[in-house]
Amino acid sequence: MIRSYLKIAWRSIFMNKTFSSINILGLALGMTCSLLIMLWVNDELQIDSFHENQSQLYTIIEKQYHDGIVQAQYSTPGIMADEMKVVLPEVQYATNLSWRSLNTFEYDGKVLKEEGTNAGEDFFKIFSYPLLQGKAETALKDPLDIAISEKMASDFFGSAEEAIGKSIRYQNKKDLKVMAVFKNVTASSSLKFDYVLNWQTFLEENDWAKHWGNNGPNAYVMLKKGTNPIDFESKIKHFIDRYNKPEENFRTDLHIQKYGDRYLHSNFKDGELTGGRIQYVKLFSVIAVFVLLIACINFMNLTTARSIKRGKEIGVRKVVGAARGPLIRQFIGEAMMIVSISFVLALIFVFLSLPLFNEITGKQIEVPISNIYFWSSLVLLTVITGFISGSYPALYLSSFNPVRVLKGSMRYSLSALWLRKGLVIFQFVLSIMLIIGTIVISRQVNFVQSVSLGYDRENLIYLPMEGDLSSKYKLFKEKALTLQGIQSVTKMTQNPTSIQNGTSGVQWDGKDPSNRIQFTQAGIGYDFIKTMNAEIVAGRDFSETFASDSAGYIVNETALKLFNYENPIGMPLTFWEKKGTIVGVVKDFHFVSLHEPIGPIVLRMEEKAGYGGALIKTEPGKTKEALASLERLTKELNPQFPFSYLFMDEEYAKLYRSEQIVSDLSNGFAFLAIFISCLGLLGLAMFTAEQRTKEIGIRKVLGASMVSLFNLLSRELLVLVTLSMIIASPIAWYAMNSWLSEFAYRIDIAWWIFVIAGLLAIIIALVTISFQTVRALVANPVQSLRSE
């Protein structure tokens, strides 16, 4: 019996090649989309899951309450982790961690730039980064210890074994001893680094991090087994009060978050975690379901639309005794066969598209061929897809009345017609929602990448001040300004696209003593405003002609609102207990991503700072020549360090890498959804034209015009698409408005987006059905009337 069913199913596929091809291709594309998203989602969910003690690992979160506002952040004091380990018996290990930085290392005449971080001596005890050489207990025990990656060991020493115990020169300042070599950090880790320095090195280079009132580094703890995290969180809530007394209008609380959750849940709003990358996981999971549903709906529509063609077969089977149950199993079996073919084709598509998919997402996803769970998931996906696709057609076809079928009086029931229309509407609702979502996401991504930041990031280069360049900065600036293509030069202690720190060490006249609002701060040199092309709204930039500027400050408009100074220029301001005056007010500019509102910032005079970098403005179109000249100059003044630089427009774009990926993937998946929907429309148009062949012939004989006939055949489908647009618009608006709420600065969802999405869907539908419709209209009416 099964063999007979398979023969019939195979014969049915080959007898209806066009419709079978449309079904197979539509399902294959839908399954390809689902498989790619499944691989991506699985990769996202696996990030940071490899740590052996992950159930005990927690990230410290700091919440600040002031003037009715709650702000949460991962930034903490740089001495907090070590203090927690000392005074809290529940903490087994603790470490602070700095942001990644690019530094220069030298060994035996080889000089290379490497990117890494600073961490406490417990780092390798907390996190499971496998050590090839050395021990976790001694990897970062002393201030001059360093742990390096297998790659870095190979680059400098030839192998991990040769690296242990060797000295390597750091920033041409000190010699560090290699105490451990760890395996190269894989893509499954949210932290990326090629070296780890002892935490004391960070504190020596960043004296501000030693104070409880300043924030910047992250802190992590590993709790002892058996510790109740809820009780621990309650215990540390007021931990900072021991070192910073709480005030009436300001207090700081500590909370914890499971380390494994941070990668996907890292966005804060009003002091609470509101999402993060988990939103993209959910978004694309929904898209995967949408696209697969669209493909399944295609199958249902085309199968039921051609049901009359198989009416006699079903009638004969019922007359000779076939029960409804075996018929249902037969048709579901046929659906399973088509889905199985589609599944094989989908796997081929996945293998072919995975390199491009990885390039877009920035991942290294591979198909886990040896993973039994992967294949089990695929089998389950195939079965579910086959059941969803084949269930309704099976139930519908098996319900035919054999007498009516064999008499040739079989017609579609009103309920069947309405269901098919409903499925088309549902299909295009999903497609139009994807079109609207794609337009909104693309516009927001374009907005954040083109919005005015308050300064000009074009032709702006950040050159790290390393080695002798720090002490020779004045000479470097003088010579750089004589080079071709250089407009201006200044200095800044941090990369201007991402200034992430906090300090409450700001005092002004009339300040409420209980107010400890966190300010962002950065040191700058002369000509900062000119080089950044920022706007001074009051006062002036720092100038060499004013010796008092060494104790002067420039603040932004947001900071000025806190001071309540009507005439701020010359008014007193104390920063980190250094008294001075305000010399200028700069128009608000963005120094973090547009996910966050602009906060108060204080810019201090640091022309002679021994760290940070030079900001260089080049003339438009002369960047290449300027870089070549700068390279020669830095080699002359700083021969021990390789020339390196950052383009500020590229650094800014990195802040929105996730959004760009979402935009690119949304474009691709929306195209797939529309293409699959169009396959279904094409099939329905072919079938409609076939069913109405005689009607078209009669109308043409009676003088009907081509335009009226085209309207006749396309009117119903266009009505369905229009209705889909009306239904999809409010749902898409709600979904996209929720996504945009994550941005402090965002676009408005304009009405024309919905009109464009609807018109686009209508145009695509018209183009899709027009070929088959026109083909039916130009056919010879005599042949149409002769056809059976």
Side-chain angles (χ1 to χ4, degrees), residues 10-219:
W10 194 252
R11 190 179 301 147
S12 176
I13 291 173
F14 273 89
M15 286 178 63
N16 303 283
K17 292 185 181 65
T18 302
F19 283 86
S20 298
S21 298
I22 290 174
N23 272 331
I24 290 171
L25 181 58
L27 286 170
L29 290 175
M31 295 179 79
T32 299
C33 173
S34 297
L35 285 175
L36 288 173
I37 292 178
M38 184 178 77
L39 291 170
W40 181 82
V41 167
N42 182 67
D43 186 83
E44 288 284 284
L45 296 177
Q46 293 302 312
I47 297 295
D48 291 332
S49 64
F50 62 92
H51 297 292
E52 296 176 3
N53 301 305
Q54 59 178 311
S55 62
Q56 301 162 252
L57 302 185
Y58 292 88
T59 303
I60 303 298
I61 295 173
E62 184 176 297
K63 289 186 181 180
Q64 297 175 348
Y65 299 78
H66 58 87
D67 298 330
I69 300 172
V70 185
Q71 292 179 313
Q73 59 188 13
Y74 290 114
S75 298
T76 60
I79 51 179
M80 188 169 72
D82 287 337
E83 187 70 6
M84 281 187 157
K85 184 180 175 182
V86 171
V87 303
L88 296 172
E90 297 88 350
V91 176
Q92 184 173 358
Y93 300 118
T95 182
N96 279 110
L97 190 72
S98 70
W99 45 85
R100 288 187 299 173
S101 58
L102 192 67
N103 287 305
T104 302
F105 293 87
E106 179 185 1
Y107 175 78
D108 194 24
K110 181 179 286 188
V111 181
L112 295 174
K113 292 276 188 182
E114 301 288 350
E115 192 168 41
T117 186
N118 296 70
E121 64 176 282
D122 289 345
F123 180 78
F124 288 102
K125 303 173 191 174
I126 294 175
F127 300 108
S128 302
Y129 295 103
L131 297 181
L132 300 174
Q133 296 290 324
K135 297 180 180 179
E137 292 75 13
T138 57
L140 298 170
K141 188 173 181 60
D142 297 323
L144 295 179
D145 291 344
I146 182 175
I148 63 177
S149 68
E150 184 179 7
K151 170 187 170 296
M152 188 170 168
S154 178
D155 289 343
F156 281 103
F157 307 102
S159 68
E161 293 80 4
E162 290 295 323
I164 288 296
K166 298 288 177 61
S167 292
I168 188 169
R169 189 75 173 167
Y170 165 69
Q171 289 290 89
N172 203 29
K173 293 179 181 178
K174 61 176 73 172
D175 292 321
L176 304 177
K177 187 176 182 180
V178 179
M179 294 300 294
V181 178
F182 52 87
K183 279 189 176 182
N184 294 331
V185 178
T186 64
S188 60
S189 171
S190 62
L191 299 176
K192 301 289 189 295
F193 50 88
D194 273 313
Y195 68 82
V196 184
L197 299 178
N198 183 281
W199 189 245
Q200 291 305 313
T201 302
F202 180 83
L203 294 180
E204 289 173 9
E205 296 176 348
N206 299 273
D207 187 69
W208 57 267
K210 299 176 183 178
H211 302 276
W212 285 97
N214 299 334
N215 292 326
N218 289 181

Side-chain angles (χ1 to χ4, degrees), residues 379-504:
V379 171
L380 182 62
L381 176 65
T382 303
V383 171
I384 291 175
T385 304
F387 184 78
I388 293 174
S389 302
S391 57
Y392 174 71
L395 293 171
Y396 177 73
L397 293 172
S398 63
S399 68
F400 283 178
N401 186 310
V403 176
R404 295 183 62 190
V405 170
L406 295 175
K407 282 184 176 181
S409 59
M410 181 64 190
R411 294 289 183 272
Y412 291 114
S413 66
L414 187 61
S415 60
L417 289 171
W418 277 109
L419 179 60
R420 198 165 78 238
K421 291 178 182 178
L423 291 174
V424 171
I425 291 172
F426 181 65
Q427 187 180 48
F428 267 87
V429 164
L430 299 182
S431 298
I432 292 171
M433 286 175 61
L434 287 175
I435 294 174
I436 294 171
T438 298
I439 295 173
V440 172
I441 291 172
S442 295
R443 290 193 69 233
Q444 177 64 18
V445 170
N446 290 334
F447 170 75
V448 298
Q449 292 180 346
S450 61
V451 67
S452 173
L453 301 180
Y455 66 90
D456 184 8
R457 63 180 181 271
E458 299 296 326
N459 304 306
L460 189 62
I461 300 170
Y462 183 80
L463 184 71
M465 289 282 100
E466 301 176 295
D468 293 339
L469 275 186
S470 294
S471 59
K472 297 178 181 178
Y473 169 70
K474 185 175 181 179
L475 177 61
F476 167 81
K477 181 176 180 179
E478 289 176 357
K479 290 194 171 186
L481 288 173
T482 65
L483 300 177
Q484 183 180 9
I486 305 295
Q487 282 189 346
S488 60
V489 179
T490 189
K491 197 172 190 179
M492 193 172 194
T493 56
Q494 297 180 58
N495 183 327
T497 62
S498 185
I499 307 175
Q500 297 181 353
N501 59 55
T503 179
S504 58

Side-chain angles (χ1 to χ4, degrees), residues 40 74 143 161 206 220 251 340 514 566 587 610 688 737 788:
W40 181 82
Y74 290 114
E161 293 80 4
N206 299 273
Y220 305 96
R251 79 174 196 272
S340 298
S514 65
E566 290 186 9
K587 186 176 180 64
T688 301
N737 197 56
E788 292 295 329

Side-chain angles (χ1 to χ4, degrees), residues 250-268:
F250 183 93
R251 79 174 196 272
T252 300
D253 292 349
L254 295 184
H255 299 265
I256 59 174
Q257 178 189 18
K258 291 196 72 171
Y259 177 74
D261 293 341
R262 176 172 173 173
Y263 176 73
L264 294 176
H265 305 267
S266 59
N267 289 354
F268 296 100

